[in-house]
Amino acid sequence: MKFHLENANGQNVFTGYGAGYTLVNGVRYEHSLVVTPARVIEDWQVMDFDALSASHFDFLLALKPEIVLLGTGAVLRFPQPALSRRLLLAHIGLEVMDTAAACRTYNILSAEGRNVAAAVLPA
């Protein structure tokens, strides 16, 4: 699915997604990545949902977002609570959803000026 959001403020936005890819600012990515309003981080080394580890969540913690949206691919899957515990202790919200929902939700929160990070796995 493709969608377009007018981006007058220069922030990163998801401009589409589909089987095995996401588009950020019109650029196609076929691997996991983290998107914040100011950065696209391509080296979030998560091959698939089962490879998620506490160190991946520590990476997200270091970004100091207000909320993390975890897009788990085509299917909604919840990580083990121990993996995201440090986010909880730092009062950083974690919302888990499929990747399509994470892309849409990120665009809304980012447009509201929220300090959000979307960590997405390809659908």
Side-chain angles (χ1 to χ4, degrees):
M1 169 185 223
K2 289 188 178 186
F3 52 89
H4 300 280
L5 177 68
E6 187 65 35
N7 186 16
N9 59 8
Q11 295 183 345
N12 293 311
V13 294
F14 287 95
T15 51
Y17 53 82
Y21 74 93
T22 54
L23 295 172
V24 180
N25 305 325
V27 177
R28 185 181 176 116
Y29 297 93
E30 296 181 353
H31 53 78
S32 300
L33 71 151
V34 177
V35 179
T36 71
R39 298 171 60 191
V40 176
I41 302 165
E42 297 182 53
D43 60 352
W44 194 52
Q45 300 295 318
V46 181
M47 298 308 291
D48 58 32
F49 179 84
D50 293 325
L52 281 170
S53 69
S55 65
H56 295 119
F57 287 90
D58 288 344
F59 179 87
L60 299 170
L61 176 68
L63 298 174
K64 300 182 179 176
E66 175 184 340
I67 187 168
V68 171
L69 305 174
L70 177 61
T72 60
V75 178
L76 172 63
R77 297 176 66 187
F78 290 93
Q80 294 295 319
L83 296 178
S84 58
R85 180 170 170 72
R86 292 196 46 195
L87 291 176
L88 176 69
L89 293 173
H91 304 287
I92 296 173
L94 174 65
E95 294 293 332
V96 180
M97 53 195 73
D98 64 56
T99 293
C103 292
R104 293 187 304 267
T105 303
Y106 167 88
N107 284 351
I108 293 166
L109 294 176
S110 178
E112 291 175 352
R114 305 280 297 271
N115 181 12
V116 59
V120 297
L121 304 168

